[in-house]
């Protein structure tokens, strides 16, 4: 992983420093790029919230060889982890001469690498069309093993892209409703907007009619989680969009427990934001998530090591999760609960 990070640092120069601790301090306000919006406080809040959660170590038990496998939304995974939807190699990740990884190669690395690791990768969306197109192509190549995410576009673009997404053969489609405030997209002539409950219900029906399940990403309050459940959404991602859309929000895991308690029996609750280790994954599960999405570290692995880099990164996460489960007395994912929190 050190060699992968070193190469990623070279290829992403000017866009990401690949810091020893990816906490958003060095890249505050660097959007485009890999930083957080404005002061970067929302990016940092994700890390700070996770750091505040402590685990109760237990060693007097028989969970010597924990099983990290699980099933989420009908997907059999080697561990409750997904690669978050990120795109825009050219303007976020250093798509200059020093970076030979283009959008198609990046999408292939994330989707194929996730599949090889036994997890599932999510594809990004944006401007230009090559972002979503590369994600769709990679998911088709992976025989539908991927989750394409579509931004909350105004007008026909939303429905056109949802149609294209479901046509990849994927079992699940996502909409990152938290992209609603990306003014840069509107300035580029491709406006996004918030999603009213009635429109969300239409999206649910559209996706379900085409044989797929729907995830929406960007739910940070109990009231909006309840709206999602009422509309028939299959899963939500508690997320502040990596701190890239609104300065001054809490971290995802701060909002997670109340949301999981309110709607966890009605839909699948996922979370992202600041997850950097298998121990972080365990904390999120203990707080009520069924699985997590990991973003920036997967991007670094994909840029620095392509498909092999993503496989190696997820192998590292699985090893850390296995160790953390053994040291908290969890033989299986089903054993993880708030009882392992200190």
């Amino acid at each position: 992983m050190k060699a992968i990070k070193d190469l990623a640092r070279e290829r992403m120069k000017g866009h990401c420093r690949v810091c020893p601790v990816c906490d958003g301090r060095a890249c505050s306000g660097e959007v485009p790029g890999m930083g957080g919006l404005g002061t970067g406080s929302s990016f940092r809040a994700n890390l700070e919230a996770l750091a505040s959660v402590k685990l109760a170590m237990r060693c007097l038990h028989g969970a010597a060889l924990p099983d990290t496998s699980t099933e989420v939304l009908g997907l059999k995974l080697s561990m409750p982890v997904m690669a978050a939807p990120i795109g825009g190699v050219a303007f976020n990740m250093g798509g200059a001469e020093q970076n030979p990884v283009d959008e198609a190669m990046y999408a292939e690395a994330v989707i194929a690498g996730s599949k090889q690791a036994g997890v599932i990768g999510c594809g990004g969306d944006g401007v230009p069309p090559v972002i979503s197109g590369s994600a769709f192509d990679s998911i088709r190549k992976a025989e539908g093993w991927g989750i394409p995410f579509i931004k909350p576009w105004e007008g026909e673009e939303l429905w056109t892209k949802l149609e294209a997404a479901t046509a990849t053969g994927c079992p699940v489609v996502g909409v990152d409703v938290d992209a609603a405030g990306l003014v840069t997209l509107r300035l580029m002539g491709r406006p996004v907007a918030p999603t009213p409950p009635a429109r969300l219900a239409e999206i649910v029906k559209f996706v379900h009619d085409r044989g797929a399940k729907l995830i929406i990403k960007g739910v940070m309050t109990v009231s909006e989680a309840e709206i999602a459940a009422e509309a028939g959404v299959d899963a939500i991602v508690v997320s502040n969009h990596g701190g890239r859309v609104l300065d001054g929000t809490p971290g995802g895991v701060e909002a997670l427990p109340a949301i999981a308690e309110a709607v966890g029996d009605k839909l699948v609750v996922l979370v992202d934001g600041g997850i950097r280790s298998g121990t972080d994954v365990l904390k999120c599960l203990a707080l009520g998530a069924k699985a997590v999405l990991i973003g920036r570290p997967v991007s670094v692995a994909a840029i620095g090591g392509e498909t092999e880099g993503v496989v190696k990164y997820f192998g590292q996460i699985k090893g850390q999760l296995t160790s953390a489960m053994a040291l908290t007395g969890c033989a299986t994912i089903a054993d993880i609960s708030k009882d392992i929190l200190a």
Side-chain angles (χ1 to χ4, degrees), residues 41-238:
S41 67
S42 297
F43 183 160
R44 295 193 297 275
N46 284 324
L47 277 293
E48 291 162 358
L50 272 166
S52 71
V53 178
K54 306 300 180 183
L55 297 168
M57 189 169 74
R58 295 186 174 92
C59 303
L60 305 181
H61 55 76
L65 295 171
D67 179 4
T68 64
S69 65
T70 191
E71 186 171 322
V72 180
L73 291 169
L75 307 171
K76 293 182 178 180
L77 306 176
S78 64
M79 58 180 170
V81 174
M82 305 176 183
I86 297 179
V89 171
F91 45 87
N92 286 322
M93 305 176 201
E97 292 182 4
Q98 75 271 14
N99 189 350
V101 180
D102 61 17
E103 200 71 45
M105 295 169 67
Y106 174 79
E108 173 74 10
V110 172
I111 299 300
S114 296
K115 185 175 183 179
Q116 288 183 35
V119 297
I120 193 163
C122 300
D125 185 19
V127 180
V130 69
I131 298 176
S132 58
S134 295
F136 296 159
D137 289 344
S138 295
I139 293 170
R140 277 191 291 267
K141 189 174 179 180
E143 299 179 317
W145 191 252
I147 302 175
F149 268 76
I150 307 303
K151 297 203 179 301
W153 305 106
E154 289 186 350
E156 279 304 308
E157 182 165 4
L158 173 67
W159 308 107
T160 299
K161 284 193 170 179
L162 284 174
E163 184 72 61
T166 56
T168 64
C170 62
V172 183
V173 171
V175 176
D176 50 344
V177 296
D178 47 1
L182 291 175
V183 178
T184 52
L185 298 179
R186 185 174 293 274
L187 295 175
M188 296 169 76
R190 305 279 290 283
V192 289
T195 305
R199 186 175 178 85
L200 179 59
E202 291 175 359
I203 294 171
V204 170
K205 184 177 186 306
F206 188 94
V207 172
H208 285 179
D209 285 350
R210 285 153 182 79
K213 296 177 181 178
L214 179 70
I215 296 176
I216 62 168
K217 184 173 73 69
V219 176
M220 287 290 286
T221 65
V222 168
S223 61
E224 293 221 319
E226 290 172 340
I227 290 172
E230 180 67 25
V233 170
D234 299 288
I236 58 173
V237 185
V238 180

Side-chain angles (χ1 to χ4, degrees), residues 299-321:
S299 293
V300 169
I303 295 295
E306 300 176 38
T307 299
E308 182 182 359
V310 173
V311 174
K312 285 185 179 296
Y313 174 72
F314 280 132
Q316 182 182 73
I317 292 296
K318 185 176 181 181
Q320 294 167 348
L321 175 59

